[in-house]
Amino acid sequence: MAADQKTLLDDLVRRMDGALESLRRDFAGLRSGRASPALIEPVRVEAYGGEVPLTQVGSIAVPEARMLTVQVWDRSLVGAVERAIRDSGLGLNPAADGQTVRVPIPQLTEERRNDLARTAGKYSENAKIAVRGVRRDGMDQTKTLEKKSEISQDDVKVWSEAIQKLTDQYVKRIDDMLAEKEREIKQV
């Protein structure tokens, strides 16, 4: 019986870790006034008859604290890369320089910092919803096992408490990640 509980909990942990990883990726795309390649990595470029990730048409570098550069491998795509970054909604204004696209990272205004903090809050709330969905699935699985008479009511209570404890740990980790991201965003 304990092996079944361990298998169930391992699956729930794996799925909750996925929600945290997704939140990390979302947070990486939120600008905090510092140049980070993660800021423009999700940008998709119109190239080769479709949309491809920026990382497939050039390499991203951070030559200085407030500047990103994209070394475009195919000269014919420099304009497309520049356009994709400009149209990405990140508030960036790239400039082409030969096969390099320079992307200065402007100072964030107080209003923009507040917007970013609100967006971070939405991302963390989505991650909490995902974690709670995993918890609900785990609880449903234990009830199903009880109905099939594979586990007792006492086991359901023990398993449910373990699932809730796991959920609380992940929600706390999400809250901690949000607090850290908000500190980073508000830092001038």
Side-chain angles (χ1 to χ4, degrees), residues 64-105:
E64 53 190 79
R66 306 193 64 72
M67 174 76 68
L68 290 171
T69 59
V70 181
Q71 183 65 42
V72 183
W73 300 318
D74 183 346
R75 185 179 296 275
S76 66
L77 295 177
V78 172
V81 167
E82 193 178 353
R83 220 175 3 268
I85 294 170
R86 186 173 290 116
D87 297 344
S88 66
L90 295 170
L92 301 173
N93 193 17
D97 179 12
Q99 274 187 258
T100 302
V101 176
R102 298 187 182 288
V103 187
I105 308 296

Side-chain angles (χ1 to χ4, degrees), residues 56-67:
Q56 289 185 10
V57 296
S59 55
I60 304 169
V62 185
E64 53 190 79
R66 306 193 64 72
M67 174 76 68

Side-chain angles (χ1 to χ4, degrees), residues 12-14 16-21 23-24 27 124 127-128 131 165-181:
L12 298 180
V13 165
R14 181 185 55 75
M16 288 182 185
D17 281 342
L20 282 185
E21 189 52 42
L23 180 61
R24 273 190 201 91
F27 279 176
S124 70
K128 286 179 186 178
V131 165
K165 185 176 176 185
L166 184 66
T167 303
D168 292 344
Q169 289 170 352
Y170 275 85
V171 167
K172 180 172 179 357
R173 286 171 67 181
I174 290 168
D175 287 340
D176 293 346
M177 288 170 66
L178 175 62
E180 176 62 32
K181 188 63 181 181

